[in-house]
Amino acid sequence: MNNMQNLYLLVPLAPLFGALIAGLFGKYIGRTWTHRITILMVAVSFAASIYIFQDVMAGHTFNGAVYQWISTGYISIDVGFLIDQLTVMMMLVVTFVSLMVHIYTIGYMSDDSGYQRFFSYISLFTFSMLMLVMSNNFMQLFFGWEAVGLVSYLLIGFWYDRPTAIYANLKAFLVNRVGDFGFLLGIGLILMVFGTLDYKAVFAAASAHVGMFAPIPGIYVDTLTAICILLFIGAMGKSAQFPLHVWLPDSMEGPTPISALIHAATMVTAGIFMVTRMSPLFELSDTALSFVMVIGAITALFMGFLGIIQNDIKRVVAYSTLSQLGYMTVALGASAYSVAVFHLMTHAFFKALLFLAAGSVIIGMHHDQDMRNMGGLRKYMPITWITSLIGSLALIGTPFLSGFYSKDSIIEAVGMSHLPGATFAYYAVVAGVFVTAFYSFRMYFLVFHGEERFGKSHDAHGHHDDHHDDHGHHHGLAPGQKPHESPWVVTLPLIALAVPSLAIGYFAIQPMLYGGFFENVVFVNHEAHPVMEELKHEFPGAAAMAVHALSSLPFWLAVAVVVTAWFFYMKKPAIPAWFKKTFSVLDTVLENKYYFDRFNDWFFAGGARGLSRMLWKFGDVKLIDGLIVNGSAKLVGKFSGALRKVQTGYIYHYAFAMIIGVFVLLAMRKWL
């Protein structure tokens, strides 16, 4: 194994080492050494990722096995790495955001009894995601896929003595099992059709299976369409796409640092990364691409609506994540894979910034998450205020900020697509601009500007934050108490994330969209899907796109909505209350999240309970216990009881029976 392969191994294994030290020996080495070791290991992983990035940019890619894991018959499964431009971009994003979250955690979780356990989990999470993005075969991809799901279960239910946290992590786990079932079927179908799980071999042989039916008895469906849709069902679970989106808002029960890590740089982006990696397969099925685009459009628009009515600061950002993941998915369906990954990267920075800024506000508010208890925090928390503003402006696609370049590229790309469903998707993502701008600046104005509403009613709305009462916290500020800026271990990551949120889009758009950064990594059939070629022709660079934006509908729509949000919540706060009362039916539908949770509880959970009760009563009690076990015992008892009456013990009874038997035998002999 050469030096570069050792370096590739170091990237995932360093966080794993930190996780093991924190998890096994945390109580012996104490809090300080726990966070020192885990942060150092993630920093080593980040530094190694930077070196590998430079090596890849110099033209050195790698695709090979590190060691053989399983060999059975004609199937050989290796642990291997595929190191190319897509991989190193994901490695940099994951390790950088994870490093910021680790540092932030020192301040946020400082008084939590599970301090060492939390550091162990987030380092393990980082290892799992790195194994996922660095894999060169489907089995290793599945290992990383399930590992991030497992650790997310542990993190969402980190405070395991809270019933709401246990409900949330079970919900996330079970909903993801639905998606993962489809994902596993897709991998199984790949093994059946191609006889291998190696990316390179599968992609090379894919075109030979165009137009062929899948080897599934009784079902006539195109092989590649079936594979792509099954794989995407896995992405629908991990990346929280309709209708498997229901777990993500509830995952806010976990601590704020993990909200940033799950929702910005790791688990939820795994589905987007996977579809991009599988572009050689998806490009061969227009049906699958249309399916992907429509699902993404529904998620982008309708999940954004739910963000408008939320009062919990973290849930607003959570629904924003759902909506933005929908934008990425729409780009995948339009064959603009590089645009989807570009938005994944920019979104990772500004969404992590918004989550961590929300956590900073929560610290300043003494663990009150209700925005109705805030207001006027700008003068008390200046660093949190300015970084939140940068994150919000990037989110709504303000020209020259990072989010603008990636988000507007998605809107333009889907507008150029001619696949079935593209028209609906275009209107959905344009309408999504309106929704995003409204809920983002509703949150911004309610939290940082206007009347100071804190300290008036202690936990007035019954909202609880991340910390238990037994951690020594009361929820909300006491009367007369003022908010305060967070410590430097919290504000430093905010500043570090604000910088790429401002600038990285401008510097990265040229190589990632118009240059050769993804050449020979992302595959697009330009003859059938010419979206990227048209996009390059229409907008040859960052400057051209920014100039175009100043005269485009999405930009002026966003400006109008920001002004509207300011007017509603700063000047005429009675208007939102009037809307809520006038359109109470719509408000009820949104408050109940389109009744998805109720339907799932009634149909799936209730149906499963009803089926189990029926199987228990009729199958177990009546059929097995009643008929088979007890029934056979009763039958033997009755038969033996009847037989016992025949055994009288009198010789003349037996002699009579023998004589009758002889007559019967003689009669039978004569007649037969």
Side-chain angles (χ1 to χ4, degrees):
M1 189 178 292
N2 61 37
N3 291 333
M4 284 308 298
Q5 290 181 18
N6 287 330
L7 199 62
Y8 301 152
L9 272 173
L10 180 65
V11 173
L13 292 184
L16 177 62
F17 176 76
L20 292 173
I21 294 296
L24 298 176
F25 307 106
K27 66 178 180 179
Y28 303 110
I29 62 177
R31 291 179 171 227
T32 302
W33 277 104
T34 295
H35 70 235
R36 282 178 181 173
I37 291 171
T38 50
I39 290 172
L40 175 63
M41 290 298 102
V42 175
V44 167
S45 184
F46 177 53
S49 298
I50 293 174
Y51 186 84
I52 295 168
F53 174 78
Q54 293 173 335
D55 189 57
V56 169
M57 290 299 96
H60 304 130
T61 58
F62 175 81
N63 182 12
V66 177
Y67 68 91
Q68 190 178 70
W69 184 21
I70 299 171
S71 180
T72 170
Y74 65 92
I75 301 169
S76 177
I77 299 173
D78 301 321
V79 172
F81 294 138
L82 171 55
I83 307 296
D84 58 14
Q85 290 87 333
L86 177 61
T87 305
V88 292
M89 189 218 73
M90 290 297 296
M91 287 161 61
L92 285 173
V93 169
V94 170
T95 53
F96 177 72
V97 175
S98 178
L99 180 60
M100 294 302 103
V101 169
H102 274 71
I103 295 170
Y104 179 94
T105 298
I106 298 172
Y108 196 86
M109 302 290 288
S110 59
D111 52 359
D112 195 283
S113 59
Y115 190 83
Q116 291 97 319
R117 179 165 57 95
F118 189 80
F119 271 99
S120 175
Y121 287 173
I122 58 177
S123 290
L124 188 61
F125 203 104
T126 308
F127 157 75
S128 303
M129 189 65 189
L130 288 168
M131 287 297 287
L132 188 156
V133 301
M134 295 173 71
S135 60
N136 74 340
N137 63 81
F138 286 93
M139 185 57 73
Q140 189 176 326
L141 174 74
F142 188 71
F143 164 78
W145 195 266
E146 292 303 308
V148 293
L150 170 64
V151 186
S152 70
Y153 168 83
L154 296 173
L155 283 161
I156 294 167
F158 182 75
W159 288 305
Y160 49 80
D161 52 355
R162 293 173 66 180
T164 51
I166 296 303
Y167 177 82
N169 73 349
L170 280 173
K171 188 175 181 180
F173 196 77
L174 292 172
V175 171
N176 272 279
R177 295 291 68 73
V178 176
D180 292 352
F181 181 65
F183 190 60
L184 191 57
L185 287 177
I187 293 174
L189 191 55
I190 286 171
L191 183 60
M192 181 186 290
V193 171
F194 296 98
T196 180
L197 292 176
D198 183 73
Y199 289 165
K200 186 176 180 181
V202 170
F203 297 160
S207 58
H209 292 81
V210 173
M212 295 177 63
F213 286 122
I216 306 173
I219 298 176
Y220 298 96
V221 63
D222 181 77
T223 300
L224 293 172
T225 298
I227 287 172
C228 290
I229 289 179
L230 286 170
L231 291 176
F232 181 67
I233 288 172
M236 287 165 64
K238 278 288 177 290
S239 293
Q241 296 297 292
F242 167 88
L244 301 181
H245 64 278
V246 292
W247 67 269
L248 190 140
D250 285 0
S251 70
M252 293 299 100
E253 288 293 333
T256 296
I258 202 53
S259 301
L261 198 55
I262 288 179
H263 297 169
T266 54
M267 181 171 164
V268 295
T269 59
I272 309 300
F273 163 80
M274 185 273 294
V275 175
T276 304
R277 180 61 82 195
M278 302 303 139
S279 59
L281 300 178
F282 279 83
E283 279 301 287
L284 300 174
S285 173
D286 283 4
T287 304
L289 288 174
S290 288
F291 179 73
V292 170
M293 189 187 296
V294 170
I295 291 293
I298 293 170
T299 308
L301 181 59
F302 291 98
M303 295 308 109
F305 282 133
L306 297 180
I308 294 174
I309 54 95
Q310 300 298 318
N311 293 310
D312 184 310
I313 186 170
K314 280 174 62 179
R315 285 185 179 268
V316 176
V317 188
Y319 281 109
S320 167
T321 300
L322 276 173
S323 182
Q324 295 306 304
L325 287 165
Y327 273 86
M328 298 175 210
T329 305
V330 166
L332 295 173
S335 290
Y337 305 98
S338 54
V339 178
V341 175
F342 182 43
H343 193 53
L344 183 159
M345 180 191 69
T346 59
H347 173 264
F349 295 117
F350 63 73
K351 188 52 60 69
L353 172 61
L354 285 170
F355 266 117
L356 297 186
S360 179
V361 168
I362 292 165
I363 294 171
M365 290 296 298
H366 283 222
H367 309 285
D368 185 355
Q369 293 182 200
D370 196 328
M371 297 188 299
R372 293 169 294 185
N373 295 341
M374 299 178 189
L377 295 185
R378 174 185 172 182
K379 66 180 180 181
Y380 300 105
M381 309 182 72
I383 298 175
T384 304
W385 161 68
I386 192 66
T387 51
S388 293
L389 179 59
I390 290 168
S392 298
L393 290 172
L395 173 61
I396 70 169
T398 306
F400 302 106
L401 271 69
S402 293
F404 157 73
Y405 293 107
S406 54
K407 193 172 181 180
D408 266 39
S409 296
I410 291 173
I411 295 170
E412 296 297 338
V414 72
M416 296 171 180
S417 176
H418 302 291
L419 286 174
T423 303
F424 164 71
Y426 177 73
Y427 286 120
V429 293
V430 171
V433 172
F434 167 89
V435 179
T436 303
F438 190 81
Y439 67 63
S440 298
F441 276 84
R442 171 182 176 265
M443 177 177 71
Y444 171 75
F445 289 127
L446 281 175
V447 172
F448 293 105
H449 292 273
E451 177 193 359
E452 296 178 2
R453 297 179 295 277
F454 44 80
K456 294 183 178 179
S457 57
H458 211 51
D459 199 21
H461 302 282
H463 283 255
H464 298 289
D465 179 28
D466 293 329
H467 290 271
H468 295 113
D469 291 328
D470 59 6
H471 293 168
H473 294 302
H474 58 261
H475 295 287
L477 296 166
Q481 196 174 12
K482 299 296 182 183
H484 55 84
E485 185 59 276
S486 301
W488 71 267
V489 288
V490 171
T491 55
L492 179 65
L494 294 182
I495 296 167
L497 287 164
V499 174
S501 298
L502 277 170
I504 201 167
Y506 179 82
F507 291 106
I509 186 171
Q510 191 66 40
M512 290 184 72
L513 298 196
Y514 309 125
F517 185 80
F518 287 125
E519 191 176 356
N520 300 322
V521 177
V522 175
F523 296 89
V524 180
N525 181 353
H526 293 296
E527 292 184 6
H529 311 126
V531 167
M532 286 308 298
E533 293 299 310
E534 293 178 19
L535 194 66
K536 291 176 185 177
H537 177 73
E538 189 76 21
F539 307 106
M545 179 163 281
V547 170
H548 167 76
L550 297 176
S551 60
S552 68
L553 174 63
F555 170 70
W556 290 108
L557 190 61
V559 171
V561 172
V562 170
V563 173
T564 304
W566 170 81
F567 183 74
F568 278 15
Y569 292 98
M570 293 295 97
K571 293 297 180 184
K572 297 289 183 182
I575 295 179
W578 176 84
F579 268 103
K580 188 179 179 75
K581 185 177 180 181
T582 305
F583 301 99
S584 57
V585 174
L586 178 60
D587 182 69
T588 303
V589 171
L590 294 178
E591 289 281 0
N592 285 279
K593 298 175 281 190
Y594 306 118
Y595 294 95
F596 271 99
D597 285 338
R598 287 196 182 186
F599 176 77
N600 290 338
D601 285 344
W602 169 75
F603 184 77
F604 292 108
R609 288 193 298 269
L611 180 63
S612 64
R613 277 196 298 269
M614 184 187 74
L615 290 174
W616 172 63
K617 285 184 178 179
F618 293 98
D620 194 29
V621 175
K622 293 190 175 180
L623 181 63
I624 296 174
D625 286 346
L627 183 61
I628 298 175
V629 178
N630 296 331
S632 59
K634 288 177 181 178
L635 181 65
V636 170
K638 287 182 179 180
F639 180 75
S640 61
L643 197 63
R644 189 164 51 246
K645 291 178 181 179
V646 176
Q647 302 293 333
T648 62
Y650 296 111
I651 293 176
Y652 57 85
H653 285 170
Y654 301 141
F656 178 74
M658 290 170 65
I659 293 168
I660 294 298
V662 169
F663 276 116
V664 170
L665 288 172
L666 291 172
M668 288 176 63
R669 182 181 178 187
K670 181 178 180 180
W671 289 104
L672 295 175

